[in-house]
């Protein structure tokens, strides 16, 4: 499955549009990660634990979207948009939503 944020894929002609596909992931961060992230905020630097959660959520959402595109008979998704939001009490959950157009190239 080819995934692209662009509306076309260089060197390929889109032969058929299958429709809009989405993927959604909601993932929570636990208290230990919050503690280490708080220390990172205090001392400076990057929060590796939160970065791992963010990467996992994005990859899961893209995989889900790819599976939905494949179920429609597509072999690529173009025009992908990735949105990140915090939800839940005190923003304790991370939501990653992906959307794009499933196509056959």
């Amino acid at each position: 499955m080819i995934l692209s944020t662009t509306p076309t894929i260089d060197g390929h002609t889109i032969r058929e549009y299958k429709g809009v596909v989405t993927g959604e992931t909601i993932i929570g961060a636990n208290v230990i990660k919050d503690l280490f992230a708080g220390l990172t905020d205090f001392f400076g630097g990057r929060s590796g634990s939160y970065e791992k959660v963010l990467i996992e959520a994005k990859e899961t959402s893209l995989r889900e979207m790819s599976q939905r595109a494949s179920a429609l008979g597509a072999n690529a998704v173009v025009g992908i948009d990735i949105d990140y939001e915090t939800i839940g009490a005190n923003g304790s959950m991370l939501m990653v939503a992906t959307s794009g157009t499933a196509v056959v190239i």
Side-chain angles (χ1 to χ4, degrees):
M1 180 71 60
I2 298 173
L3 304 176
S4 177
T5 58
T6 60
T8 60
I9 298 172
D10 200 30
H12 297 278
T13 301
I14 294 176
R15 296 184 297 138
E16 187 178 355
Y17 290 87
K18 295 292 191 173
V20 174
V21 287
T22 61
E24 304 82 15
T25 302
I26 298 175
I27 192 164
N30 66 29
V31 174
I32 302 299
K33 289 178 186 168
D34 287 343
L35 174 65
F36 285 117
L39 292 173
T40 299
D41 285 345
F42 182 76
F43 293 109
R46 295 171 61 170
S47 173
S49 59
Y50 274 132
E51 287 177 1
K52 287 178 185 174
V53 169
L54 186 63
I55 290 167
E56 178 186 345
K58 180 190 69 171
E59 289 176 351
T60 301
S61 186
L62 287 169
R63 184 172 48 254
E64 184 177 286
M65 184 182 60
S66 295
Q67 290 169 346
R68 290 177 179 166
S70 182
L72 294 175
N75 61 359
V77 179
V78 296
I80 294 173
D81 181 53
I82 304 172
D83 292 313
Y84 300 89
E85 295 289 333
T86 55
I87 60 174
N90 302 320
S92 61
M93 306 284 286
L94 174 69
M95 178 182 73
V96 178
T98 55
S99 62
T101 303
V103 298
V104 175
I105 55 173

